[in-house]
Coordinates of all heavy atoms in Angstrom, one line a residue:
M26 N 40.1 79.9 41.5 CA 41.2 78.9 41.7 C 42.2 79.4 42.7 O 42.6 80.5 42.7 CB 41.8 78.6 40.4 CG 42.9 77.5 40.5 SD 43.6 77.1 38.8 CE 44.9 76.1 39.3
Y27 N 42.6 78.5 43.6 CA 43.6 78.8 44.6 C 44.8 77.9 44.5 O 44.7 76.8 44.0 CB 43.0 78.7 46.0 CG 41.8 79.7 46.2 CD1 40.5 79.2 46.1 CD2 42.0 81.0 46.4 CE1 39.5 80.1 46.3 CE2 41.0 81.9 46.6 CZ 39.7 81.4 46.5 OH 38.6 82.3 46.7
V28 N 45.9 78.4 44.9 CA 47.1 77.6 45.0 C 47.8 77.8 46.4 O 47.5 78.7 47.1 CB 48.2 78.0 43.9 CG1 47.6 77.7 42.5 CG2 48.6 79.4 44.0
W29 N 48.7 76.9 46.7 CA 49.4 76.9 48.0 C 50.7 77.6 47.8 O 51.3 77.5 46.7 CB 49.6 75.6 48.6 CG 48.3 74.9 49.0 CD1 47.6 73.9 48.3 CD2 47.6 75.2 50.2 NE1 46.5 73.6 49.0 CE2 46.4 74.3 50.2 CE3 47.8 76.0 51.3 CZ2 45.5 74.3 51.2 CZ3 46.8 76.0 52.3 CH2 45.7 75.2 52.2
Q30 N 51.1 78.4 48.7 CA 52.4 79.1 48.7 C 53.1 79.1 50.0 O 52.5 79.6 51.0 CB 52.3 80.5 48.2 CG 53.5 81.3 48.2 CD 54.6 80.8 47.2 OE1 54.3 80.7 46.0 NE2 55.8 80.5 47.7
Q31 N 54.3 78.6 50.1 CA 55.0 78.6 51.4 C 55.6 80.0 51.6 O 56.2 80.5 50.7 CB 56.0 77.5 51.5 CG 56.9 77.5 52.7 CD 57.8 76.3 52.8 OE1 57.3 75.2 52.9 NE2 59.1 76.6 52.7
A32 N 55.5 80.5 52.8 CA 56.2 81.8 53.1 C 56.1 82.1 54.6 O 55.1 81.7 55.2 CB 55.4 82.9 52.3
E33 N 57.2 82.6 55.1 CA 57.3 83.0 56.5 C 56.9 81.9 57.4 O 56.2 82.1 58.4 CB 56.5 84.3 56.7 CG 57.0 85.4 55.9 CD 56.3 86.7 56.2 OE1 55.4 86.8 57.1 OE2 56.6 87.7 55.6
G34 N 57.3 80.7 57.1 CA 57.2 79.6 58.1 C 55.9 78.8 58.0 O 55.7 77.9 58.8
Q35 N 55.0 79.2 57.1 CA 53.8 78.4 56.9 C 53.4 78.3 55.4 O 53.9 79.0 54.6 CB 52.6 79.1 57.6 CG 52.7 79.0 59.2 CD 51.4 79.5 59.8 OE1 50.9 80.6 59.5 NE2 50.8 78.6 60.6
R36 N 52.6 77.3 55.2 CA 52.1 77.1 53.8 C 50.7 77.7 53.7 O 49.7 77.3 54.3 CB 52.0 75.6 53.5 CG 51.9 75.3 52.0 CD 52.0 73.8 51.8 NE 50.9 73.0 52.5 CZ 49.9 72.5 51.9 NH1 49.8 72.5 50.6 NH2 48.9 71.8 52.6
H37 N 50.7 78.9 53.0 CA 49.4 79.6 52.9 C 48.8 79.3 51.5 O 49.4 78.9 50.6 CB 49.7 81.1 52.9 CG 50.3 81.6 54.2 ND1 49.6 81.9 55.3 CD2 51.6 81.8 54.6 CE1 50.3 82.3 56.3 NE2 51.6 82.2 55.9
A38 N 47.5 79.7 51.5 CA 46.7 79.6 50.2 C 46.5 81.0 49.7 O 46.4 82.0 50.4 CB 45.4 78.9 50.4
R39 N 46.6 81.1 48.3 CA 46.4 82.4 47.7 C 45.6 82.2 46.4 O 45.6 81.1 45.9 CB 47.7 83.1 47.4 CG 48.6 82.4 46.4 CD 49.8 83.2 46.0 NE 50.8 82.4 45.2 CZ 50.7 82.3 43.9 NH1 49.7 82.8 43.2 NH2 51.6 81.6 43.3
A40 N 44.9 83.3 46.0 CA 44.3 83.2 44.7 C 45.3 83.0 43.6 O 46.4 83.6 43.7 CB 43.5 84.4 44.4
A41 N 45.0 82.2 42.6 CA 46.0 82.0 41.5 C 46.0 83.1 40.5 O 45.7 82.8 39.3 CB 45.7 80.6 40.9
V42 N 46.2 84.3 40.9 CA 46.2 85.4 40.0 C 47.5 85.5 39.3 O 47.6 86.2 38.2 CB 45.8 86.7 40.7 CG1 44.4 86.7 41.1 CG2 46.8 87.0 41.8
H43 N 48.5 85.0 39.9 CA 49.9 85.0 39.3 C 50.1 83.6 38.6 O 49.9 82.6 39.2 CB 51.0 85.1 40.4 CG 50.8 86.4 41.2 ND1 51.1 87.6 40.8 CD2 50.3 86.5 42.5 CE1 50.8 88.5 41.8 NE2 50.3 87.8 42.8
L44 N 50.4 83.7 37.3 CA 50.8 82.5 36.6 C 52.1 82.0 37.1 O 53.1 82.8 37.2 CB 50.7 82.7 35.1 CG 49.4 83.1 34.6 CD1 49.5 83.3 33.1 CD2 48.3 82.0 34.8
G45 N 52.3 80.7 37.3 CA 53.5 80.2 37.7 C 53.8 80.5 39.2 O 52.9 80.8 39.9
S46 N 55.0 80.4 39.6 CA 55.4 80.6 41.0 C 55.9 82.0 41.2 O 56.2 82.8 40.3 CB 56.5 79.6 41.4 OG 57.6 79.8 40.6
L47 N 55.9 82.4 42.5 CA 56.3 83.7 42.9 C 57.8 83.7 43.1 O 58.4 82.7 43.5 CB 55.6 84.1 44.2 CG 54.1 84.2 44.1 CD1 53.5 84.6 45.5 CD2 53.7 85.3 43.1
D48 N 58.5 84.8 42.9 CA 59.9 85.0 43.1 C 60.1 85.3 44.6 O 59.3 85.8 45.3 CB 60.5 86.1 42.2 CG 60.4 85.7 40.8 OD1 60.5 84.5 40.4 OD2 60.2 86.6 39.9
A49 N 61.4 85.0 45.0 CA 61.8 85.4 46.4 C 61.6 86.9 46.5 O 62.0 87.7 45.6 CB 63.2 85.0 46.6
G50 N 61.1 87.4 47.6 CA 60.9 88.8 47.8 C 59.5 89.3 47.5 O 59.1 90.4 47.9
A51 N 58.7 88.4 46.8 CA 57.4 88.8 46.4 C 56.4 88.6 47.6 O 56.6 87.8 48.4 CB 56.9 87.9 45.2
T52 N 55.5 89.5 47.7 CA 54.4 89.4 48.7 C 53.1 89.0 48.0 O 53.0 89.2 46.9 CB 54.2 90.7 49.5 OG1 53.8 91.7 48.6 CG2 55.5 91.1 50.2
F53 N 52.3 88.4 48.8 CA 51.0 88.0 48.2 C 49.9 88.0 49.3 O 50.2 88.0 50.5 CB 51.1 86.6 47.6 CG 51.4 85.5 48.6 CD1 50.4 84.7 49.2 CD2 52.7 85.2 48.9 CE1 50.7 83.7 50.1 CE2 53.0 84.2 49.9 CZ 52.0 83.4 50.5
A54 N 48.6 88.1 48.9 CA 47.5 88.2 49.8 C 47.1 86.8 50.1 O 46.5 86.1 49.2 CB 46.4 89.0 49.2
A55 N 47.4 86.3 51.3 CA 46.9 84.9 51.7 C 45.5 84.9 52.1 O 44.9 86.0 52.5 CB 47.8 84.4 52.8
L56 N 44.8 83.8 52.0 CA 43.4 83.7 52.3 C 43.2 84.0 53.8 O 42.1 84.4 54.2 CB 42.9 82.3 52.0 CG 42.8 81.9 50.5 CD1 42.1 80.6 50.3 CD2 42.2 83.0 49.7
C57 N 44.2 83.8 54.6 CA 44.0 84.1 56.1 C 44.1 85.5 56.4 O 43.8 85.9 57.5 CB 45.1 83.3 56.8 SG 46.8 83.9 56.4
G58 N 44.4 86.4 55.4 CA 44.4 87.8 55.6 C 45.8 88.4 55.7 O 45.9 89.6 55.7
S59 N 46.8 87.6 55.9 CA 48.1 88.1 56.0 C 48.7 88.3 54.6 O 48.2 87.9 53.6 CB 49.0 87.1 56.8 OG 49.2 85.9 56.1
E60 N 49.8 89.1 54.5 CA 50.5 89.3 53.3 C 52.0 88.9 53.5 O 52.9 89.8 53.6 CB 50.4 90.8 52.9 CG 49.0 91.2 52.4 CD 49.0 92.5 51.6 OE1 50.0 92.9 51.1 OE2 47.9 93.0 51.5
P61 N 52.2 87.6 53.5 CA 53.6 87.2 53.8 C 54.5 87.4 52.6 O 54.1 87.6 51.4 CB 53.4 85.7 54.1 CG 52.2 85.3 53.4 CD 51.3 86.5 53.4
T62 N 55.8 87.4 52.8 CA 56.8 87.6 51.8 C 57.5 86.2 51.5 O 57.9 85.5 52.4 CB 57.9 88.6 52.3 OG1 57.3 89.8 52.6 CG2 59.0 88.8 51.2
V63 N 57.6 85.9 50.3 CA 58.3 84.7 49.8 C 59.8 84.8 50.0 O 60.4 85.7 49.6 CB 58.0 84.4 48.3 CG1 58.7 83.1 47.9 CG2 56.5 84.3 48.1
G64 N 60.4 83.8 50.7 CA 61.8 83.8 50.9 C 62.5 82.9 50.0 O 61.9 82.1 49.2
E65 N 63.8 82.9 50.0 CA 64.6 82.1 49.1 C 64.3 80.6 49.3 O 64.3 79.8 48.3 CB 66.1 82.3 49.4 CG 66.7 83.6 49.0 CD 66.8 83.8 47.5 OE1 66.8 82.7 46.8 OE2 67.0 84.9 47.0
N66 N 64.0 80.2 50.5 CA 63.8 78.8 50.8 C 62.3 78.4 50.5 O 61.9 77.2 50.7 CB 64.1 78.4 52.3 CG 65.6 78.5 52.5 OD1 66.4 78.1 51.6 ND2 66.0 78.9 53.7
D67 N 61.5 79.4 50.1 CA 60.1 79.1 49.8 C 59.8 78.9 48.3 O 58.7 78.7 47.9 CB 59.2 80.3 50.3 CG 59.3 80.5 51.8 OD1 59.4 79.5 52.5 OD2 59.3 81.6 52.2
I68 N 60.9 78.9 47.5 CA 60.7 78.6 46.1 C 60.6 77.1 45.9 O 61.5 76.4 46.3 CB 61.9 79.2 45.3 CG1 62.1 80.7 45.6 CG2 61.7 79.0 43.8 CD1 60.9 81.5 45.3
H69 N 59.5 76.7 45.3 CA 59.2 75.3 45.2 C 59.9 74.7 44.0 O 60.0 75.3 42.9 CB 57.7 75.1 45.1 CG 57.3 73.7 45.1 ND1 57.2 72.9 43.9 CD2 57.0 72.8 46.1 CE1 56.8 71.7 44.2 NE2 56.7 71.6 45.5
S70 N 60.5 73.5 44.2 CA 61.1 72.8 43.1 C 61.0 71.3 43.5 O 60.9 71.0 44.6 CB 62.6 73.2 42.9 OG 63.4 72.7 43.9
P71 N 61.1 70.4 42.5 CA 61.0 69.0 42.8 C 62.0 68.5 43.8 O 61.7 67.6 44.6 CB 61.2 68.3 41.4 CG 60.8 69.4 40.4 CD 61.2 70.7 41.0
G72 N 63.2 69.1 43.8 CA 64.2 68.6 44.8 C 64.2 69.3 46.1 O 65.0 69.0 47.0
K73 N 63.2 70.3 46.3 CA 63.2 71.0 47.5 C 61.7 71.2 47.9 O 61.0 72.2 47.6 CB 63.8 72.4 47.3 CG 64.0 73.1 48.6 CD 65.0 74.3 48.4 CE 64.4 75.4 47.5 NZ 65.3 76.5 47.3
P74 N 61.2 70.1 48.5 CA 59.8 70.2 48.9 C 59.5 71.2 50.0 O 60.4 71.5 50.8 CB 59.5 68.7 49.4 CG 60.9 68.3 49.9 CD 61.9 68.9 49.0
W75 N 58.2 71.6 50.1 CA 57.8 72.5 51.2 C 57.6 71.6 52.4 O 56.9 70.6 52.4 CB 56.5 73.1 50.8 CG 56.7 74.3 49.8 CD1 57.8 74.9 49.5 CD2 55.7 74.8 49.0 NE1 57.6 75.9 48.6 CE2 56.3 75.9 48.2 CE3 54.3 74.6 48.8 CZ2 55.6 76.6 47.3 CZ3 53.6 75.4 47.9 CH2 54.2 76.4 47.2
L76 N 58.2 72.0 53.5 CA 58.1 71.2 54.7 C 57.4 72.0 55.8 O 57.1 71.5 56.9 CB 59.5 70.8 55.2 CG 60.2 69.9 54.2 CD1 61.6 69.7 54.8 CD2 59.5 68.6 54.0
D77 N 57.1 73.3 55.6 CA 56.5 74.1 56.6 C 55.0 73.7 56.8 O 54.4 73.2 55.9 CB 56.5 75.6 56.3 CG 57.9 76.1 56.5 OD1 58.8 75.4 57.1 OD2 58.2 77.2 56.0
P78 N 54.5 73.8 58.0 CA 53.1 73.4 58.3 C 52.1 74.3 57.6 O 52.4 75.5 57.3 CB 53.0 73.6 59.8 CG 54.0 74.6 60.2 CD 55.1 74.4 59.2
T79 N 50.9 73.7 57.3 CA 49.9 74.5 56.6 C 49.3 75.5 57.6 O 49.0 75.2 58.8 CB 48.8 73.5 56.2 OG1 49.3 72.6 55.3 CG2 47.6 74.2 55.5
C80 N 49.0 76.7 57.1 CA 48.4 77.7 57.9 C 46.9 77.3 58.1 O 46.2 77.2 57.2 CB 48.5 79.0 57.1 SG 47.5 80.4 57.7
P81 N 46.5 77.1 59.4 CA 45.1 76.7 59.7 C 44.0 77.6 59.1 O 43.1 77.1 58.5 CB 45.1 76.6 61.2 CG 46.5 76.4 61.6 CD 47.3 77.2 60.6
P82 N 44.1 78.9 59.3 CA 43.1 79.8 58.7 C 43.0 79.7 57.1 O 41.9 79.7 56.6 CB 43.5 81.2 59.1 CG 44.3 81.0 60.3 CD 45.0 79.7 60.1
C83 N 44.2 79.5 56.5 CA 44.2 79.4 55.0 C 43.5 78.0 54.7 O 42.8 78.0 53.7 CB 45.6 79.4 54.5 SG 46.2 81.1 54.1
D84 N 43.8 77.0 55.4 CA 43.3 75.7 55.1 C 41.8 75.7 55.2 O 41.0 75.2 54.4 CB 43.9 74.6 56.1 CG 43.4 73.2 55.8 OD1 43.5 72.8 54.6 OD2 42.9 72.6 56.7
A85 N 41.3 76.4 56.3 CA 39.8 76.5 56.5 C 39.2 77.3 55.4 O 38.1 76.9 54.8 CB 39.5 77.1 57.8
A86 N 39.8 78.4 55.0 CA 39.2 79.2 53.9 C 39.3 78.5 52.6 O 38.4 78.6 51.8 CB 40.0 80.6 53.8
F87 N 40.4 77.8 52.3 CA 40.5 77.0 51.1 C 39.4 76.0 51.0 O 38.8 75.8 50.0 CB 41.9 76.3 51.1 CG 42.4 75.8 49.8 CD1 43.3 76.4 49.1 CD2 41.9 74.5 49.4 CE1 43.8 75.9 47.9 CE2 42.3 74.0 48.2 CZ 43.3 74.7 47.4
R88 N 39.2 75.3 52.1 CA 38.1 74.2 52.1 C 36.8 74.8 51.9 O 35.9 74.3 51.2 CB 38.2 73.4 53.4 CG 39.4 72.6 53.6 CD 39.5 71.9 55.0 NE 40.6 71.1 55.1 CZ 40.7 69.8 54.7 NH1 39.6 69.3 54.1 NH2 41.8 69.1 54.8
R89 N 36.5 76.0 52.6 CA 35.2 76.6 52.4 C 35.0 77.0 51.0 O 33.9 76.8 50.4 CB 35.2 77.9 53.3 CG 34.3 77.7 54.6 CD 33.9 79.1 55.2 NE 35.0 80.1 55.2 CZ 35.9 80.2 56.1 NH1 35.9 79.3 57.1 NH2 36.8 81.1 56.0
A90 N 36.0 77.6 50.4 CA 35.9 78.1 49.0 C 35.6 77.0 48.0 O 34.9 77.2 47.0 CB 37.2 78.8 48.6
L91 N 36.2 75.8 48.3 CA 36.0 74.7 47.4 C 34.9 73.7 47.8 O 34.6 72.7 47.2 CB 37.3 73.9 47.2 CG 38.5 74.7 46.7 CD1 39.7 73.8 46.5 CD2 38.1 75.3 45.3
G92 N 34.3 74.0 49.0 CA 33.2 73.1 49.5 C 33.7 71.8 50.0 O 33.0 70.8 49.9
I93 N 35.0 71.8 50.5 CA 35.5 70.5 51.0 C 35.4 70.5 52.5 O 35.8 71.4 53.2 CB 37.0 70.4 50.7 CG1 37.3 70.5 49.2 CG2 37.6 69.2 51.2 CD1 38.7 70.7 48.8
P94 N 34.7 69.4 53.0 CA 34.6 69.4 54.5 C 35.9 69.2 55.2 O 36.9 68.6 54.6 CB 33.7 68.2 54.7 CG 33.9 67.3 53.5 CD 34.2 68.3 52.3
D95 N 36.0 69.6 56.4 CA 37.3 69.5 57.1 C 37.4 68.0 57.6 O 36.6 67.5 58.4 CB 37.3 70.4 58.4 CG 38.6 70.5 59.0 OD1 39.5 69.6 58.7 OD2 38.9 71.4 59.8
A96 N 38.4 67.4 57.0 CA 38.6 65.9 57.3 C 39.3 65.7 58.7 O 39.3 64.6 59.2 CB 39.4 65.3 56.2
R97 N 39.8 66.8 59.2 CA 40.5 66.6 60.5 C 40.1 67.7 61.5 O 40.7 68.7 61.7 CB 42.0 66.8 60.3 CG 42.6 65.7 59.4 CD 44.0 65.9 59.1 NE 44.9 66.0 60.3 CZ 46.1 66.4 60.3 NH1 46.7 66.9 59.2 NH2 46.8 66.4 61.4
P98 N 38.9 67.5 62.0 CA 38.3 68.5 63.0 C 39.2 68.7 64.2 O 39.1 69.8 64.8 CB 36.9 67.9 63.3 CG 37.0 66.5 63.0 CD 38.0 66.3 61.9
D99 N 40.0 67.7 64.5 CA 40.9 67.9 65.7 C 41.9 69.0 65.5 O 42.3 69.6 66.5 CB 41.6 66.6 66.0 CG 42.5 66.1 64.8 OD1 41.9 66.1 63.7 OD2 43.7 65.9 65.0
V100 N 42.3 69.3 64.3 CA 43.3 70.3 64.0 C 42.8 71.7 64.3 O 43.4 72.5 64.9 CB 43.7 70.3 62.5 CG1 44.6 71.5 62.2 CG2 44.4 69.0 62.2
A101 N 41.5 71.9 64.0 CA 40.9 73.2 64.2 C 40.8 73.6 65.7 O 40.7 74.7 66.1 CB 39.6 73.3 63.5
S102 N 40.7 72.5 66.5 CA 40.5 72.7 68.0 C 41.8 72.9 68.7 O 41.7 73.3 69.9 CB 39.7 71.6 68.6 OG 40.5 70.4 68.5
R103 N 42.9 72.7 68.1 CA 44.1 72.9 68.8 C 44.4 74.4 69.0 O 44.1 75.2 68.1 CB 45.3 72.4 68.0 CG 45.4 70.9 68.1 CD 46.7 70.4 67.4 NE 46.5 68.9 67.1 CZ 47.1 68.3 66.2 NH1 47.9 68.9 65.3 NH2 46.9 67.0 66.0
P104 N 45.0 74.8 70.1 CA 45.3 76.2 70.3 C 46.3 76.7 69.3 O 47.3 76.0 69.0 CB 45.9 76.2 71.7 CG 46.3 74.8 72.0 CD 45.4 73.9 71.2
A105 N 46.1 77.9 68.8 CA 47.0 78.5 67.8 C 48.3 79.0 68.6 O 48.2 79.2 69.8 CB 46.4 79.6 67.1
G106 N 49.3 79.2 67.9 CA 50.5 79.8 68.5 C 51.7 79.0 68.5 O 52.8 79.5 68.7
L107 N 51.6 77.7 68.2 CA 52.7 76.8 68.1 C 53.7 77.3 67.1 O 54.9 77.2 67.3 CB 52.3 75.4 67.9 CG 51.5 74.7 69.0 CD1 51.1 73.3 68.5 CD2 52.4 74.6 70.2
S108 N 53.2 77.8 66.0 CA 54.1 78.3 64.9 C 54.8 79.6 65.2 O 55.7 80.0 64.5 CB 53.3 78.4 63.6 OG 52.3 79.4 63.8
K109 N 54.4 80.3 66.3 CA 55.0 81.5 66.5 C 56.4 81.4 67.1 O 57.1 82.4 67.2 CB 54.1 82.3 67.5 CG 52.8 82.8 66.9 CD 52.0 83.6 67.9 CE 50.7 84.0 67.2 NZ 49.8 84.6 68.2
A110 N 56.8 80.2 67.4 CA 58.1 80.0 67.9 C 59.2 80.2 66.8 O 60.3 80.4 67.1 CB 58.3 78.6 68.6
R111 N 58.7 80.0 65.6 CA 59.6 80.2 64.4 C 59.8 81.6 64.1 O 59.0 82.4 64.4 CB 59.0 79.4 63.2 CG 58.9 77.9 63.5 CD 58.5 77.3 62.2 NE 59.4 77.5 61.1 CZ 59.8 76.7 60.2 NH1 59.2 75.5 60.2 NH2 60.6 77.0 59.3
G112 N 60.9 81.9 63.5 CA 60.9 83.2 63.0 C 62.4 83.7 62.9 O 62.6 84.8 62.5
Ligands
LIG230 ZN1 47.6 81.8 55.8

């Protein structure tokens, strides 16, 4: 089972080995291979939705793991790097 976690400007997927949500300052192994750190603004709550874009490699790995076909093939063909402007 996997869950989504926003961190460092993107919404990553991770294995649901942690029950509940992660605290600010926690790091986790994302499916894309990175180990981002959860920031204060990445703590999810009903009044504070996640607005950062989905990490494309995590999305692909998440879909592969669950056997979900990519519904938006155009996204995968876009050049990476647009998110690098953040930081
Ligand atoms: Zn990722």
Side-chain angles (χ1 to χ4, degrees):
M26 181 177 172
Y27 299 101
V28 296
W29 293 101
Q30 173 67 53
Q31 178 173 291
E33 298 186 3
Q35 286 190 308
R36 194 173 62 107
H37 296 277
R39 64 173 170 85
V42 293
H43 304 282
L44 295 179
S46 58
L47 298 176
D48 294 326
T52 60
F53 63 94
L56 294 189
C57 63
S59 67
E60 289 197 17
T62 302
V63 177
E65 292 285 347
N66 290 328
D67 298 324
I68 306 300
H69 186 267
S70 72
K73 193 165 63 180
W75 284 340
L76 299 175
D77 286 348
T79 300
C80 170
C83 272
D84 184 50
F87 194 103
R88 289 173 180 278
R89 254 197 322 274
L91 298 183
I93 303 171
D95 191 346
R97 298 173 59 193
D99 58 308
V100 172
S102 64
R103 279 185 201 154
L107 292 176
S108 63
K109 289 181 181 173
R111 299 186 54 144

